Amino acid sequence: MQIQINIQAACMPTPPARAPRSNRERTDATRQALMDAARALFVERGYGDTSTPDVSAAAGTTRGALYHHFADKRDLFRHVLLREAEAVAGEIEAASPAALPPDQALIAGAEAYLRAMTSPGRTRLLLIEGPAALGHAEIDAIDRRHAADSLRQGLSAAMDPAPAPIDALAALLSAAFDRAALEIDAGADPARVRAAMLWLIRRTLPPEASNTTPKPSKRGTKR
């Protein structure tokens, strides 16, 4: 029996050798590991109670490797937040394609934003730890950079002509979206909060908005 097994093993094709990773692949893997470890620690402990040695140890790298990729802890935290903001924006864009009428894009984008913010730890990072560590001005800049003012653009498309100043209306609705995400994160019923936000969006739009046609250059909603 042993001889038969050995013969079968000898006849099996040898799996192709895995090509060694390039320097770029190793660099990207180290950066990814650092950001993943940092995200987990920032969510668990908060920005203030997380140190760069903690992150290095959790990622299985050295502090030298961390400082090769990031200037300091604040820079590392900023890049973690940028990745989260990009993920949220990607979900919203996927849910509100240009082919949708503007009012439907706003509704779909609103639902996508609230859904995206339920990713574990994301609300804490973007809405609690972020402003505290980086300041509201930088967080607002991150939001604008990845949202491309999509909420303002979406409102402009769905409310043409606008019955109220779009910039002010977009700022107020943006704050409402953030508050809704915080409520859900704190344990509120997601369905009830989502229904309230959709009610608010629908009441904001003029009655004729449902008759508007798609405008390819406009996107959905917040972020």
Side-chain angles (χ1 to χ4, degrees):
M1 179 64 70
Q2 183 65 38
I3 294 175
Q4 182 179 1
I5 292 175
N6 289 339
I7 292 174
Q8 290 176 344
C11 294
M12 291 179 65
T14 302
R18 185 175 181 180
R21 292 193 299 179
S22 66
N23 289 336
R24 177 60 182 271
E25 289 173 331
R26 288 194 295 271
T27 297
D28 290 346
T30 299
R31 184 181 179 87
Q32 182 75 22
L34 285 165
M35 291 182 66
D36 290 345
R39 186 195 191 281
L41 290 171
F42 288 141
V43 170
E44 178 186 352
R45 305 179 184 179
Y47 177 81
D49 291 331
T50 298
S51 67
T52 52
D54 293 335
V55 174
S56 298
T61 65
T62 64
R63 291 185 68 189
L66 187 152
Y67 287 112
H68 173 75
H69 290 279
F70 306 100
D72 50 27
K73 184 176 79 167
R74 194 173 190 272
D75 185 45
L76 171 59
F77 184 64
R78 181 188 299 109
H79 279 85
V80 169
L81 262 59
L82 287 170
R83 189 173 65 172
E84 295 299 311
E86 289 168 358
V88 174
E91 291 195 37
I92 291 172
E93 190 166 1
S96 53
L100 282 180
D103 63 314
Q104 294 181 26
L106 280 169
I107 297 299
E111 293 181 309
Y113 170 75
L114 294 176
R115 185 169 56 251
M117 290 298 286
T118 61
S119 176
R122 184 170 284 164
T123 294
R124 177 175 183 179
L125 288 172
L126 289 174
L127 302 183
I128 300 175
E129 296 293 330
L134 302 182
H136 287 281
E138 187 162 359
I139 291 299
D140 288 345
I142 289 174
D143 191 18
R144 288 192 301 271
R145 175 179 171 184
H146 292 88
D149 291 328
S150 60
L151 175 57
R152 181 184 59 79
Q153 292 179 11
L155 287 169
S156 296
M159 304 173 70
D160 186 14
I166 290 295
D167 289 343
L169 184 59
L172 292 172
L173 284 174
S174 177
F177 276 116
D178 287 347
R179 185 69 233 179
L182 287 166
E183 289 291 327
I184 293 172
D185 190 61
D189 182 356
R192 291 175 63 85
V193 174
R194 183 165 54 251
M197 279 305 305
L198 296 184
W199 179 91
L200 181 60
I201 290 291
R202 292 189 177 101
R203 294 305 182 276
T204 300
L205 296 174
E208 63 273 15
S210 60
N211 297 321
T212 56
T213 56
K215 298 186 178 183
S217 64
K218 306 303 182 182
R219 287 174 53 196
T221 184
K222 180 177 169 55
R223 301 184 194 280

